[in-house]
Amino acid sequence: MAAHQPPTGEPDRPRGEIWIGDVARAVAALSVDPADKAVLSRIANLLGMETAAPVRPPSRSGSSEPRPRPRTVPSAPPSSPTPPAQEDPRQRRRDGLAVPLLQPLSAWDSVPRVWSEPALAGPSSRATGERPALQGLLPPHSEAATLRLLVSRLVAEGPVDIERLLGLMGTATVVTELPRQPVRTVRFGVQVLVDLGEGMEPFLRDAMRVLERAAAISGRHGCDVLYFADCPLHRSGPGAAWTWGSYHPPATGTRVLVLSDFGLHLDAAGRLPPRYEEDWRHTAGLIRHNGCSPVALVPAPLDRWPRWLTDLMPALCWDRTTTAAVARSRLP
């Protein structure tokens, strides 16, 4: 509904028009009560909704007609905020027509939301503050038995070997000492050589897990730990890297467990030193010369191992394929 219509016979000239929607937006912006008719009337008057015909432009003959003064509607007396019971507060009558008024809303009015799906559970304290539990590389059901085979060694201190004794007697051999069956023992202790090189960085937590299990099996005083990078021959030690020195093998009879990739990352990057294989052969020779037996855990598939590794010491693949039965068949 426009505020005014151009008089009949006058040319249709472009001019501003005020619509009922403009009044509704002004009422909503000012948060005016729709039932307050006096205020609504003032707003409509200010917007020019209730003015008389527009001012006519001067005629072409030059005669000027007096401009009609705008006819204003006197403000209605303040009415009670409560509308009559029979009148709908959302409607206002004008010229015999029911004009619906928009319901004023504010930016702070909140519409209740009904969610059809349950909310997601919030993060727990364990997920945010604690690291997930580490699962070892060895099979969980045989990890303890496999590690016990790795840190122990065979000694002829078991029951008397009757079959061997009868064989000696049948050949008329003088028996000066009763032959005994071999048994495994951890009383000689174990020395664990932990590789801290670039290729072993992803397996650092797994190496620490093996250290804890080895110390629990052989005892805290029977487990000696040395750290090195790539090869322990020239630089290794129990403390920080700047304290490392030349490698010295442990006491006679000690099992030596090596946790290393034996230069696989150096070979893949083309940075393998020319004397790398010779240094490892020299290290294994020192261990065997002192009466110790080395064994290795390699976190890589068998087809990626260097060819000279199995000639130096027994080695096991550090993954779920290595069970206690596999370790027993490959270890001396």
Side-chain angles (χ1 to χ4, degrees):
M1 176 179 180
H4 50 266
Q5 302 274 345
T8 306
E10 292 290 335
D12 189 7
R13 300 175 182 272
R15 54 174 58 86
E17 295 181 350
I18 303 300
W19 296 82
I20 191 67
D22 300 322
V23 179
R25 284 194 292 270
V27 171
L30 297 175
S31 302
V32 178
D33 186 4
D36 194 347
K37 299 180 179 180
V39 178
L40 294 178
S41 178
R42 294 190 185 96
I43 294 176
N45 188 19
L46 292 174
L47 293 177
M49 287 291 295
E50 301 185 9
T51 59
V55 179
R56 296 180 181 179
S59 61
R60 298 180 181 178
S61 59
S63 61
S64 60
E65 299 179 359
R67 295 183 180 180
R69 298 182 61 183
R71 180 170 51 89
T72 61
V73 178
S75 301
S79 59
S80 60
T82 304
Q86 69 275 8
E87 183 179 358
D88 190 352
R90 293 173 299 177
Q91 294 184 353
R92 180 184 177 186
R93 296 204 173 263
R94 179 181 177 184
D95 298 335
L97 299 177
V99 181
L101 300 179
L102 299 179
Q103 181 69 23
L105 295 176
S106 64
W108 295 273
D109 292 340
S110 59
V111 180
R113 297 179 180 269
V114 180
W115 302 99
S116 57
E117 297 294 335
L120 298 177
S124 60
S125 59
R126 174 175 296 183
T128 57
E130 298 181 5
R131 302 177 68 179
L134 175 65
Q135 296 183 359
L137 298 179
L138 297 175
H141 62 278
S142 62
E143 180 182 19
T146 304
L147 291 178
R148 184 173 181 85
L149 292 173
L150 291 173
V151 302
S152 62
R153 58 168 296 179
L154 287 173
V155 293
E157 297 179 354
V160 177
D161 192 346
I162 302 298
E163 294 183 1
R164 186 180 176 187
L165 179 60
L166 293 177
L168 293 175
M169 294 174 61
T171 57
T173 303
V174 179
V175 179
T176 58
E177 184 179 0
L178 293 177
R180 295 184 178 273
Q181 297 179 2
V183 292
R184 291 195 171 271
T185 180
V186 295
R187 77 171 188 269
F188 295 99
V190 59
Q191 183 185 70
V192 185
L193 300 179
V194 183
D195 190 354
L196 299 181
E198 181 181 352
M200 289 295 293
E201 289 181 0
F203 309 100
L204 181 59
R205 294 181 65 191
D206 300 281
M208 297 302 105
R209 180 186 178 94
V210 171
L211 289 180
E212 294 179 0
R213 299 296 190 275
I217 295 173
S218 61
R220 296 291 178 180
H221 300 284
C223 183
D224 183 24
V225 182
L226 294 181
Y227 302 98
F228 66 97
D230 301 330
C231 183
L233 180 62
H234 302 293
R235 297 188 71 250
S236 60
W242 60 272
T243 63
W244 293 353
S246 300
Y247 174 72
H248 298 283
T252 303
T254 304
R255 169 75 84 179
V256 178
L257 175 60
V258 184
L259 308 178
S260 176
D261 67 339
F262 292 92
L264 293 179
H265 68 286
L266 297 175
D267 193 10
R271 297 184 287 109
L272 189 66
R275 296 183 55 85
Y276 187 81
E277 178 182 349
E278 297 181 9
D279 290 344
W280 267 110
R281 290 188 180 278
H282 191 184
T283 303
L286 288 177
I287 295 174
R288 295 186 184 280
H289 181 75
N290 209 45
C292 303
S293 55
V295 63
L297 275 178
V298 186
L302 183 61
D303 55 355
R304 294 184 55 193
W305 292 2
R307 298 179 179 179
W308 46 265
L309 175 58
T310 54
D311 297 336
L312 298 183
M313 64 187 74
L316 298 176
C317 193
W318 196 0
D319 60 10
R320 295 299 175 91
T321 63
T322 300
T323 61
V326 174
R328 186 179 294 107
S329 62
R330 295 183 181 179
L331 294 179

